Amino acid sequence: MQKKASFHRLLATLFHYVFRYRKLALLIVVLGAFQAVVVKAPFLLLKMVSDATRIFVAQNSEAPPPALIPAPSSSSQVDVFAYLDSFKDYLLETLGLASNDPENIIIAAALMLSILAVLGAILVYFHRMLASLAATRVVVDMRNRLASHLLGLSLRHFGGQRTGDLISRVTNDSNTVMSSFNIVFENAVLQPMFLLVNLIWAWMVSPWVALAVLLIIAFLLVPMLSFGRKVQKGSGRSLQALGQSADAMSQMFTGFRTVKAFQLEGHEIAEFERINETFFRRKMRMFKAKAKSQGFLQLIYMLGVAGFLIGLTYLLKNTEDPSKLVVALGPLGTTYTDVKRLARTYNMLKESQGALDRIDELFDLRNELLRPADGKSAEALSGAIAFEDVRFSYGREPVLDQLNLQIKAGQRIAFVGPSGSGKSTILNLVARFYDPDAGRVLIDGQDLKEYELDSYLLKLAIVDQQPFLFNVSVRENIRLGRPGASDAEIEQAAKDALVHDFVNGLPEGYDTICGERGTELSGGQMQRITIARALLRSPRILLLDEATSALDTESERLVQAALDRLKEGRTVLYVAHRMSTVRGADQIFVLAGGRVVEQGTHEELMAKRNGAYHKLVKLQGEGSQAEIDVPSI
């Protein structure tokens, strides 16, 4: 039942895009109908060629020449053949040739075939171009929608997702869908029309011939439908393995230094080979189902033709014009090809069903960060923050448990505590990357959920422990803080972040490409560029998550000096493991078990000899004044 519903969902998706591009789809259908008639029309000329052959044989024997057209009848097939014969006579008369000469009849058939060839070539070109255009447009739209949807989700959805698998779904799976849609727009329209024209042509010859073609089509559809389910099942599993392969490769190259340092090449290659072997086995199961389907199609078709040959003896005895039976060879000869292409289309649909199911899993993810229709603007935000009985967990165990705290606008607040105590989680909640499971986060006394999120985020900036730079120029990386900023504003932000002189020393200055994830720069240089980005944004709330913990002493000194400029006139929340960096905070919150166990200034907390903060400082060996006097926030 689930598979049936899934296939219905695939058809619903197809219909959605067909309706969206209905004018283009209608044009494809119309062109397909004309193409089907033009491509199959040469079969009707076979009667003309057969008649010419009979006349030629009769002229070279003692038998009288046969009549070209049987006696008039009310049946539609006689009218069609009579029309073609009239058109043949018109052509020969225009060329000044005799209409009863067999050689001239062949010339007329050749001319008519040439006209059909030109028309067919034009129709095929435009039909395929429009089909490819429609398929590619559909998948580009799907990728854009998927990227927009994923970026609109909260961080909670990405915690359990593998990056390589996500990339595989957006690229490999959507490519599979594109290939399927391409075939659908081409063959799902064209092949049924080809089969319909085959039936019409067969009916013109004899209703019995049409019945034979119809039975062959019906029996050929049986293996197509039967093996299609196996193809769909194998497709989903093979794409899942392909996603795992992409994820393994992503980890392998992202952690390249670790792999080399710990000599894990053999382990990583073995794991990669294992995943690829799984992909190979699953893909071969799908190919096996396809091969069986094609084999059964061939068997049924040949048996059907054999049955038709047996029935041909009856038709030869009971038809007024045996030469018309030659026309039946066209529909019979191409029905197998048409059904085989239709089966391939169906298999591709079933194959894309597995890909589309994986894409739909991402579309089904819902963003729990609800945005109010009439959200409050954050334009006049001052930066006061409060947590009221906040409870939050990433899984089962709570990270924050009934957390309460008050932060005044413009204060510099430091959060310290052991790993897992909830320090970074507080920053994530203030940035509204997540919503609390219970309780409220208040900004200027208003529930954060009631703010218009885009307006609020414009008043917030983050500097993380691991700075992230895009693979664009230094100038564009800084400009991301405020798109539309002038070059002069960007350079001023760089000066305030103490990075201007360094950037001017680069080969191409501000136009120097940073490399993927900023790999062309040092950690301190990357961090100062991210600070320049934050300065350009001019936020009311600044979040610093271990902004200097991964730097050497000299880089930390420069970054800290840049941070001192960035913090002025703003509410600053700072997460730190180094006790030395929090001494200048207006308030220090000490966290343990998801709650505030102590708060106060550095001096107040150090006065508590048995307090948690005092112990943390002592554990880091920073009890002396000299050791504490390092640049602070």
Side-chain angles (χ1 to χ4, degrees):
M1 193 67 170
Q2 185 177 358
K3 290 179 183 178
K4 186 177 179 181
S6 179
F7 190 63
H8 286 171
R9 186 172 183 174
L10 173 64
L11 294 178
T13 301
L14 278 170
F15 179 78
H16 166 77
Y17 283 109
V18 168
F19 183 78
R20 184 174 182 179
Y21 299 103
R22 51 191 175 276
K23 292 182 180 179
L24 181 59
L26 180 61
L27 186 56
I28 291 172
V29 171
V30 172
L31 286 174
F34 280 112
Q35 183 181 338
V37 173
V38 170
V39 168
K40 298 291 185 177
F43 297 150
L44 301 178
L45 300 178
L46 291 175
K47 180 181 182 301
M48 193 179 298
V49 174
S50 176
D51 287 339
T53 303
R54 290 170 61 201
I55 294 173
F56 181 80
V57 171
Q59 288 177 346
N60 289 277
S61 66
E62 296 179 356
L68 295 181
I69 300 176
S73 169
S74 60
S75 64
S76 61
Q77 62 263 37
V78 172
D79 291 338
V80 171
F81 289 120
Y83 173 78
L84 288 175
D85 199 65
S86 298
F87 186 67
K88 176 259 299 180
D89 291 341
Y90 169 76
L91 281 177
L92 293 177
E93 184 180 345
T94 302
L95 295 173
L97 300 174
S99 61
N100 59 349
D101 189 297
E103 292 184 3
N104 293 342
I105 294 174
I106 298 296
I107 291 173
L111 288 173
M112 294 167 70
L113 185 62
S114 299
I115 294 171
L116 291 172
V118 173
L119 288 174
I122 295 172
L123 289 169
V124 167
Y125 171 79
F126 283 105
H127 182 265
R128 293 207 171 183
M129 279 297 297
L130 291 176
S132 299
L133 171 65
T136 307
R137 184 72 264 169
V138 163
V139 174
V140 167
D141 286 354
M142 181 181 291
R143 282 182 177 177
N144 291 339
R145 280 183 57 224
L146 184 57
S148 178
H149 176 73
L150 291 175
L151 288 177
L153 298 175
S154 73
L155 290 181
R156 189 184 292 274
H157 290 295
F158 295 95
Q161 292 282 356
R162 301 189 307 272
T163 303
D165 184 60
L166 279 176
I167 295 173
S168 178
R169 293 191 192 207
V170 175
T171 55
N172 296 327
D173 292 10
S174 61
N175 279 336
T176 300
V177 173
M178 182 173 71
S179 299
S180 303
F181 280 21
N182 202 358
I183 290 177
V184 165
F185 279 113
E186 284 188 21
N187 293 341
V189 172
L190 204 56
Q191 299 310 319
M193 288 184 177
F194 279 172
L195 292 173
L196 179 62
V197 173
N198 277 349
L199 282 171
I200 295 173
W201 279 194
W203 181 267
M204 290 178 180
V205 174
S206 166
W208 292 106
V209 175
L211 179 62
V213 172
L214 186 62
L215 288 174
I216 290 174
I217 292 173
F219 282 112
L220 287 175
L221 291 176
V222 173
M224 179 183 83
L225 297 173
S226 175
F227 289 101
R229 289 188 290 271
K230 294 182 180 180
V231 170
Q232 179 257 323
K233 186 177 179 181
S235 170
R237 290 181 173 178
S238 63
L239 286 170
Q240 183 183 28
L242 187 61
Q244 293 172 350
S245 174
D247 185 61
M249 184 173 291
S250 174
Q251 290 190 75
M252 190 188 306
F253 292 116
T254 302
F256 190 75
R257 286 168 59 87
T258 302
V259 171
K260 298 296 288 185
F262 287 89
Q263 298 176 296
L264 298 175
E265 293 93 338
H267 174 272
E268 292 298 313
I269 290 173
E271 179 66 14
F272 190 66
E273 288 177 349
R274 182 190 66 79
I275 294 172
N276 279 319
E277 188 64 27
T278 301
F279 167 75
F280 172 78
R281 290 196 304 270
R282 292 177 178 177
K283 200 74 173 176
M284 288 308 300
R285 289 194 194 105
M286 185 183 72
F287 288 148
K288 183 179 179 181
K290 284 185 176 181
K292 283 185 178 180
S293 174
Q294 297 298 324
F296 274 98
L297 285 175
Q298 179 70 22
L299 174 65
I300 292 172
Y301 168 71
M302 296 304 291
L303 291 176
V305 172
F308 172 76
L309 291 177
I310 293 173
L312 187 62
T313 56
Y314 169 81
L315 293 174
L316 287 170
K317 295 176 183 177
N318 294 276
T319 184
E320 296 177 357
D321 185 7
S323 65
K324 288 193 299 184
L325 293 176
V326 179
V327 176
L329 297 177
L332 280 172
T334 59
T335 292
Y336 169 70
T337 301
D338 295 334
V339 173
K340 186 171 74 170
R341 288 176 180 170
L342 190 61
R344 180 167 174 254
T345 302
Y346 181 73
N347 285 336
M348 283 299 296
L349 269 177
K350 299 298 286 185
E351 187 175 344
S352 70
Q353 180 183 337
L356 195 62
D357 285 345
R358 282 165 47 83
I359 292 174
D360 279 341
E361 287 177 7
L362 299 180
F363 277 123
D364 287 340
L365 297 176
R366 290 293 171 259
N367 191 0
E368 72 277 7
L369 301 181
L370 300 178
R371 300 191 179 199
D374 54 348
K376 181 180 178 181
S377 172
E379 185 62 33
L381 197 73
S382 63
I385 302 170
F387 278 54
E388 290 185 350
D389 297 323
V390 170
R391 181 182 175 86
F392 180 82
S393 66
Y394 294 103
R396 294 181 179 179
E397 295 297 323
V399 178
L400 299 179
D401 188 13
Q402 303 297 314
L403 178 68
N404 290 279
L405 53 85
Q406 295 283 337
I407 299 170
K408 296 178 182 179
Q411 278 191 318
R412 306 167 192 174
I413 303 298
F415 295 98
V416 299
S419 297
S421 60
K423 303 183 297 298
S424 294
T425 299
I426 291 174
L427 270 58
N428 287 335
L429 293 177
V430 172
R432 213 190 169 199
F433 292 152
Y434 305 90
D435 278 339
D437 299 331
R440 298 192 303 167
V441 177
L442 304 177
I443 305 295
D444 288 355
Q446 187 99 8
D447 193 325
L448 180 52
K449 296 179 183 178
E450 297 176 7
Y451 280 96
E452 203 283 312
L453 187 56
D454 291 337
S455 174
Y456 171 71
L457 291 177
L458 286 174
K459 299 298 180 181
L460 181 140
I462 301 175
V463 180
D464 283 318
Q465 176 183 3
Q466 297 295 333
F468 184 87
L469 297 180
F470 293 88
N471 191 22
V472 293
S473 67
V474 174
R475 187 189 313 279
E476 291 307 312
N477 266 292
I478 298 175
R479 183 176 275 126
L480 291 172
R482 180 158 53 87
S486 66
D487 289 349
E489 291 173 318
I490 290 171
E491 292 185 18
Q492 184 58 51
K495 290 175 182 177
D496 292 339
L498 304 178
V499 75
H500 177 72
D501 292 340
F502 149 70
V503 172
N504 277 334
L506 294 173
E508 297 180 42
Y510 281 87
D511 294 320
T512 301
I513 301 300
C514 295
E516 187 176 359
R517 298 186 181 183
T519 51
E520 300 298 318
L521 306 172
S522 70
Q525 292 165 347
M526 290 169 61
Q527 193 65 286
R528 280 182 281 157
I529 291 174
T530 63
I531 292 171
R533 180 194 298 165
L535 278 167
L536 186 64
R537 198 171 188 82
S538 189
R540 293 301 309 150
I541 298 174
L542 175 63
L543 308 179
L544 305 174
D545 194 354
E546 295 285 355
T548 62
S549 63
L551 304 177
D552 57 62
T553 303
E554 178 60 21
S555 296
E556 180 182 6
R557 184 185 67 79
L558 292 171
V559 169
Q560 195 66 61
L563 288 174
D564 287 340
R565 298 189 182 193
L566 178 58
K567 69 187 180 183
E568 295 174 359
R570 299 176 174 90
T571 303
V572 181
L573 306 189
Y574 191 89
V575 169
H577 280 105
R578 294 181 184 175
M579 298 300 103
S580 61
T581 59
V582 303
R583 183 173 179 268
D586 296 319
Q587 284 283 301
I588 300 171
F589 289 92
V590 184
L591 299 175
R595 297 187 179 188
V596 176
V597 294
E598 285 182 352
Q599 72 178 81
T601 64
H602 171 75
E603 290 76 14
E604 290 170 348
L605 294 175
M606 286 300 294
K608 300 177 181 180
R609 294 297 177 180
N610 294 321
Y613 181 80
H614 190 276
K615 290 179 182 178
L616 286 172
V617 175
K618 289 295 184 182
L619 283 172
Q620 291 192 10
E622 295 179 4
S624 70
Q625 183 68 29
E627 289 173 315
I628 294 171
D629 268 336
V630 295
S632 62
I633 67 166

